[in-house]
Amino acid sequence: MSHPVVAGIDGSERSLAAADWAAGEALLRGVPLCLVHVLPPLPGADVPVPAAETLQHLGEHILHRAIADLGARYPDLQARGEQAAGAPATALLAAAGEAGLLVVGARGSGGFDGLAVGSVALHVSAAAACPVVLVPERPVEGFGDGTRMAGDAPHVVAGFDAHRPVGEVVEFAFSAAEVRGARLRVVQAWALPAEAVSPQKLFVTEEDRATWEDQEVLQLSDALRAWQDKYREVTTRTDVVLLHPAQALLNASRGAELVVVGRRVGRAEGPMGPVTHAVLHHTRCPVAVVPHGG
């Protein structure tokens, strides 16, 4: 892993929480951290030079203070800062061109109370060429709030579909679990087959339901075998649940260190599917959005 971790900061507590998470991730990966501050857009071309310089100096101060604070907490961290100009999402995407990971706060300094995910976070997670992690300011009570039962080991959650396996997503999830020494919980949601809910079928027997579920469990086990062989140090738990995929992932996210979801590049129906969108808005732990071509 030689590509740096890039994190956007704007001086808000939310962005500083994201920078702190990014610093820990950079250390786990053994790569440098680059903090990027985007200069706020100026109102027109006639802004006095002193005002523009003041904004630049303020940005430099934000970067220097953040790097100093992170250095005090993480002495082995290699961190640098850079400034960029333009629309925040566009500037962050450009800065992350050679990054292995882009980290942003789920919300920046704008927005309103109750807003889970801001426009910049949504834009970069839907358009970045590299994986993007959205970090909440702090966990709140609810899905993925960081609450674990006593004795419960840390875990990473990944959404998976054995019928359409996506290597990029499961590879990222296994790697994230490995560097954290965490368990990996792979969640596959399934639905009853069409013949089970046809007008001719008055009810579904328990035997039929169990047979279909066993088939799903077997298919998931087969689909994961190559990655389990590659990441032998990662303890894997598989959950095959008869739920909507978004609800299944949200249920599993409680107490998770990280939730990993996918984003298909070039999808005709929009930049992100409804499952990824729901997870971003309703879980309260960091969420990694991994682009893939499948």
Side-chain angles (χ1 to χ4, degrees):
M1 297 181 181
S2 58
H3 299 290
V5 172
V6 172
I9 62 169
D10 58 13
S12 68
E13 289 299 322
R14 301 179 183 95
S15 72
L16 294 177
D20 186 80
W21 191 95
E25 183 69 14
L27 286 173
L28 287 173
R29 291 173 172 237
V31 300
L33 171 67
C34 177
L35 298 182
V36 178
H37 177 266
V38 182
L39 292 170
L42 300 175
D46 298 328
V47 175
V49 172
E53 291 178 344
T54 297
L55 289 175
Q56 182 175 353
H57 292 327
L58 177 61
E60 291 172 353
H61 174 74
I62 290 171
L63 286 170
H64 290 159
R65 181 169 181 177
I67 290 173
D69 288 346
L70 292 174
R73 287 199 297 277
Y74 307 103
D76 295 330
L77 179 68
Q78 298 180 40
R80 64 181 178 86
E82 65 179 52
Q83 286 192 313
T90 302
L92 286 174
L93 290 172
E98 299 298 323
L101 185 70
L102 173 60
V103 181
V104 295
R107 281 180 55 195
S109 58
F112 52 86
D113 289 342
L115 181 68
V117 184
S119 59
V120 172
L122 283 176
H123 189 136
V124 298
S125 60
C130 65
V132 178
V133 172
L134 278 66
V135 180
E137 178 182 6
R138 57 183 178 275
V140 297
E141 186 175 355
F143 295 114
D145 60 2
T147 303
R148 292 198 298 267
M149 298 296 291
D152 190 16
H155 65 282
V156 172
V157 171
F160 192 73
D161 182 355
H163 301 275
R164 293 178 293 275
V166 177
E168 295 92 335
V169 174
V170 71
E171 181 85 34
F172 185 98
F174 268 97
S175 178
E178 182 181 57
V179 298
R180 288 168 171 76
R183 292 184 295 110
L184 176 60
R185 184 176 181 181
V186 181
V187 178
Q188 171 157 320
W190 68 287
L192 294 172
E195 61 266 25
V197 293
S198 66
Q200 292 77 28
K201 192 84 170 180
L202 297 179
F203 63 91
V204 176
T205 67
E206 182 61 26
E207 290 78 10
D208 283 344
R209 191 203 65 78
T211 297
W212 290 320
E213 184 171 12
D214 287 345
Q215 292 172 351
E216 295 289 326
V217 170
L218 181 60
Q219 188 160 6
L220 177 59
S221 177
D222 289 342
L224 289 177
R225 186 168 293 115
W227 284 286
Q228 289 174 316
D229 288 343
K230 180 178 179 179
Y231 293 93
R232 293 183 179 274
E233 300 301 315
V234 177
T235 300
T236 310
R237 168 184 171 181
T238 56
D239 285 346
V240 177
V241 289
L242 187 60
L243 280 175
H244 186 278
Q247 188 62 56
L249 277 172
L250 290 172
N251 289 350
S253 73
R254 187 177 296 277
E257 302 287 311
L258 180 69
V259 173
V260 183
V261 294
R263 170 182 65 82
R264 183 156 62 88
V265 177
R267 57 183 295 129
E269 58 270 39
M272 284 189 291
V275 174
T276 296
H277 202 269
V279 171
L280 289 179
H281 281 83
H282 295 290
T283 193
R284 292 296 178 266
C285 67
V287 177
V289 181
V290 182
H292 63 87

